[in-house]
Amino acid sequence: MKKYGWFILLFAVVQVRAQKFDSLALTPPMGWNSWNTFSVNIDEKLIKGIADSFVKDGLKDAGYQYLVIDDGWMAKERDAKGNLVADPVKFPNGMKSVVDYVHSKGLKFGIYNCAGNKTCGGYPGSRGHEYQDALLYASWGVDYLKYDWCNTEKLNAEGAYMTMRDALYAAGRPVVFSLCEWGENQPWKWGEKVGHLWRTTGDITNCWDCEDNHGTWSSWGVLRTVNMRKDIRQYAGPGHWNDPDMMEVGNGMTVQEDRSHFTLWCMLAAPLIMGNDLRSMTNQTREILTNKEIIAVNQDALGVQAMRYATVDSVEVWVKPLVNNEWAVCFLNLKSKTQSMDFNWQEHTITDVVANRTLDFKKETFQLRNLWTKKTSGTTAKPLQASVASHDVLVFRLSRK
Ligand code: GLA
């Protein structure tokens, strides 16, 4: 017995050493979440319909994987044993059967709760029930947890999220852990060891550049959301991503704005979580969401978030290093009218201190692949002359000649 003592001790230490699940979300998670369109009005029929659309409409094929139900899935009270219960009217067959259905489509299932006593919608929160809830999710086969920050009083954010991380780890089923703390306690500074993505801002809303004031809090348009956090790109990387919130593509902006929103999320290596009704989206919306060449920029294995390199005549130039010495460059027109531009590559030497790489157009010539028209034409040897519609983008993949 004595000679096995050390092994038993080592085994015990490994068992209790809590951590996040590694090797998950090595590229930004891709999926769908119910909140932006449906708020708490979700049910079994909707979720199954969305799962069907993932497959039927080519979203699964484009790389979307996680189907996440947000707030509103629970009954207002826990049961006699303190377990969470799915709302019996919305989910008459319980949650496990919904998870099984989603898994049967080759997808993964995500769920929502909150670090506080109650969720933002007033349903039972996980505070004090973290280990119990994690076990329940594992028994249902949950693969992703979005964990919110309402009703947390004076809780310490890092500590509260670590408790849930440890609970998930102890439950033993690998779960992508999405911290939804709105950037209030700078989660980019401590989030890497806790979760796989962290919200950097408050809630997004379906407009380009507005603030929607709800009294005690506001939700923010796409551009506001992007501009709110400027210096945090160095904190993102494989397995730990800055999350500027779920997408509003297909929820009412112009096609140019939707295209720019999607492109920016791809450039920012943001989680690509769709927020529209997939069952009724237009072809135009589907084409945006399933553009594999733009998605490849988001899913690039280097995992470096783009930087805003320059703003020339209200056209922003965003640059993202990619593997194999390739780059993505995006021109975004902020004006409310079409803007013509003349960008002489040769005048620019772009250094990225995060990736530790320099793009010197005098030393190297790159071929240009337009990722929306999907045409390869021209090189960086000649100035780029183009016009960009209002709130629209031009985005290129640059590869060596
Ligand atoms: C917060 C989150 C949203 C959503 C709602 C649900 O506002 O930031 O993304 O989950 O709560 O009530």
Side-chain angles (χ1 to χ4, degrees):
M1 177 65 210
K2 205 171 165 204
K3 69 178 177 192
Y4 296 117
W6 283 109
F7 289 109
I8 291 167
L9 185 63
L10 186 67
F11 185 66
V13 168
V14 169
Q15 287 295 294
V16 297
R17 207 187 118 236
Q19 58 184 71
K20 78 175 191 185
F21 287 100
D22 278 332
S23 327
L24 290 179
L26 295 180
T27 60
M30 294 175 66
W32 177 89
N33 175 296
S34 52
W35 183 254
N36 285 359
T37 297
F38 298 99
S39 177
V40 295
N41 306 309
I42 51 179
D43 59 30
E44 176 176 323
K45 188 161 166 270
L46 165 72
I47 301 306
K48 287 186 169 174
I50 295 286
D52 294 342
S53 290
F54 261 74
V55 179
K56 193 162 48 73
D57 294 307
L59 298 158
K60 181 182 171 202
D61 182 52
Y64 296 93
Q65 198 182 11
Y66 292 97
L67 193 163
V68 184
I69 56 167
D70 208 284
D71 208 356
W73 64 266
M74 295 173 233
K76 285 275 179 185
E77 302 293 339
R78 289 174 180 269
D79 71 10
K81 291 186 177 147
N83 283 319
L84 293 168
V85 185
D87 181 314
V89 176
K90 294 172 174 172
F91 296 97
N93 300 301
M95 197 52 77
K96 174 89 168 67
S97 80
V98 180
V99 181
D100 288 347
Y101 187 83
V102 170
H103 284 164
S104 77
K105 300 280 162 185
L107 302 169
K108 293 187 184 292
F109 186 85
I111 210 160
Y112 163 98
N113 210 320
C114 184
N117 294 316
K118 285 197 183 307
T119 71
C120 300
Y123 298 86
S126 274
R127 187 167 180 183
H129 291 269
E130 292 86 352
Y131 282 76
Q132 183 175 16
D133 292 351
L135 281 173
L136 182 67
Y137 303 149
S139 76
W140 287 345
V142 168
D143 308 293
Y144 182 113
L145 174 67
K146 171 175 170 182
Y147 203 52
D148 215 338
W149 190 239
C150 276
N151 307 304
T152 44
E153 292 150 11
K154 291 194 171 9
L155 265 187
N156 171 281
E158 184 177 350
Y161 281 94
M162 272 184 14
T163 303
M164 195 66 215
R165 174 203 71 174
D166 295 353
L168 292 170
Y169 198 75
R173 182 179 172 88
V175 169
V176 169
F177 190 30
S178 157
L179 320 184
C180 179
E181 181 272 356
W182 320 312
E184 299 211 332
N185 296 277
Q186 302 189 301
W188 44 89
K189 293 204 170 148
W190 45 265
E192 180 176 350
K193 62 180 185 303
V194 183
H196 303 92
L197 58 156
W198 50 80
R199 280 274 296 278
T200 53
T201 44
D203 288 6
I204 198 168
T205 190
N206 58 337
C207 66
W208 178 245
D209 187 19
C210 70
E211 173 181 352
D212 196 357
N213 191 323
H214 307 279
T216 51
W217 62 285
S218 289
S219 43
W220 308 93
V222 167
L223 202 63
R224 296 282 181 109
T225 300
V226 170
N227 286 337
M228 226 171 266
R229 303 286 177 221
K230 290 202 165 128
D231 304 308
I232 57 172
R233 61 186 287 268
Q234 67 274 24
Y235 296 105
H240 51 102
W241 307 102
N242 287 317
D243 173 14
D245 207 357
M246 305 160 302
M247 296 188 286
E248 292 283 14
V249 174
N251 284 345
M253 284 182 284
T254 67
V255 63
Q256 291 81 8
E257 290 167 348
D258 270 357
R259 193 159 44 218
S260 296
H261 173 19
F262 190 66
T263 304
L264 282 170
W265 261 231
C266 289
M267 293 293 288
L268 291 168
L272 294 182
I273 309 294
M274 303 174 287
N276 58 315
D277 188 348
L278 305 182
R279 301 164 309 168
S280 57
M281 68 184 155
T282 62
N283 283 338
Q284 213 167 39
T285 296
R286 186 178 40 241
E287 274 163 27
I288 292 174
L289 291 170
T290 57
N291 180 332
K292 290 185 183 173
E293 297 198 31
I294 305 273
I295 291 173
V297 169
N298 175 269
Q299 294 290 299
D300 184 81
L302 197 62
V304 176
Q305 187 174 321
M307 62 172 170
R308 190 176 350 219
Y309 163 66
T311 306
V312 186
D313 276 346
S314 295
V315 175
E316 288 186 348
V317 187
W318 290 81
V319 179
K320 183 182 196 290
L322 306 174
V323 289
N324 298 329
N325 197 33
E326 298 198 328
W327 299 77
V329 177
C330 167
F331 299 90
L332 166 69
N333 178 11
L334 299 177
K335 278 197 179 154
S336 47
K337 58 181 180 13
T338 301
Q339 172 75 25
S340 54
M341 46 169 274
D342 188 342
F343 187 79
N344 187 355
W345 306 93
Q346 301 288 309
E347 288 170 2
H348 298 272
T349 303
I350 304 174
T351 297
D352 177 2
V353 292
V354 172
N356 195 20
R357 265 168 51 179
T358 295
L359 188 50
D360 184 345
F361 294 108
K362 285 203 196 70
K363 286 201 186 132
E364 273 183 299
T365 302
F366 291 83
Q367 204 150 44
L368 300 174
R369 168 88 171 160
N370 182 319
L371 299 184
W372 283 111
T373 62
K374 302 187 182 155
K375 293 206 171 83
T376 306
S377 89
T379 71
T380 54
K382 285 207 186 122
L384 174 75
Q385 276 149 356
S387 69
V388 194
S390 167
H391 300 173
D392 207 349
V393 281
L394 259 184
V395 54
F396 298 98
R397 187 175 187 110
L398 275 55
S399 349
R400 286 236 192 102
K401 275 269 296 167

